[in-house]
Amino acid sequence: KAGVTQTPRYLIKTRGQQVTLSCSPISGHRSVSWYQQTPGQGLQFLFEYFSETQRNKGNFPGRFSGRQFSNSRSEMNVSTLELGDSALYLCASSLDVESYEQYFGPGTRLTVT
Amino acid sequence: DQQVKQNSPSLSVQEGRISILNCDYTNSMFDYFLWYKKYPAEGPTFLISISSIKDKNEDGRFTVFLNKSAKHLSLHIVPSQPGDSAVYFCAASEYQFYFGTGTSLTVIP
């Protein structure tokens, strides 16, 4: 079974631009969560989607948004990029909202200059 | 405010010895705890978990201990192997997952 895939793997953007990251969960997994990883901060929860609905949202500004499609694939968008948005963005999928075991993708490394 | 803390950024252990990674949390409502291992350029990989109703869970060389009164979680790896060298994250769940900042384990051959 294929793992979680994220595209692109690396991205360089300029401050003020917007970016869209994509995540394809493991086949059959319906829950997708997004995390931001920065040095010294660990993984910070962004949001979780299940059946195309956002179930939970972390403490991030409204510039960060996401959505989930009917095939469980998910995208996250960051508008008006700031230098502090430079991070590794990780997507994780799980079977459903009751499942504690999450499977992570390799992440998208975003650099904002 | 960090609800899950890993106070040791790094740990070095000789091959064959025990590795003990520690994690502290502040929220008594957490109902599930997990450990993940992360290699460079890869996403975290699930390692082992424990429910808040238990105090110990074993899986091969890996054992997780939960001390609810102390709000403390630990991962024991016995015996440690060079392939265990990675960053280890603990995580706790209450509606969403809260992760620690990670401990980089180096197992010296």
Side-chain angles (χ1 to χ4, degrees), chain B residues 52 57 62 68:
Chain B
S52 61
N57 188 27
F62 303 90
K68 288 184 288 293

Side-chain angles (χ1 to χ4, degrees), chain A residues 9 35 37 40-45 48 55-58 88 90 99-102 104-106, chain B residues 2 31-32 34 36 38 41-46 49 89 93 95-102:
Chain A
R9 292 292 310 277
Y35 295 86
Q37 185 187 5
Q41 290 293 317
L43 279 73
Q44 307 261 307
F45 173 76
E48 179 189 11
R55 290 191 67 250
N56 281 308
K57 190 177 193 305
L88 180 67
L90 291 158
S99 175
Y100 288 101
E101 292 182 22
Q102 294 185 312
F104 283 83
Chain B
Q2 199 79 17
D31 58 355
Y32 210 79
L34 307 94
Y36 285 85
K38 186 179 186 300
E42 295 182 13
T45 303
F46 169 76
S49 63
F89 291 95
S93 172
Y95 305 117
Q96 69 184 58
F97 285 96
Y98 297 84
F99 282 78
T101 51

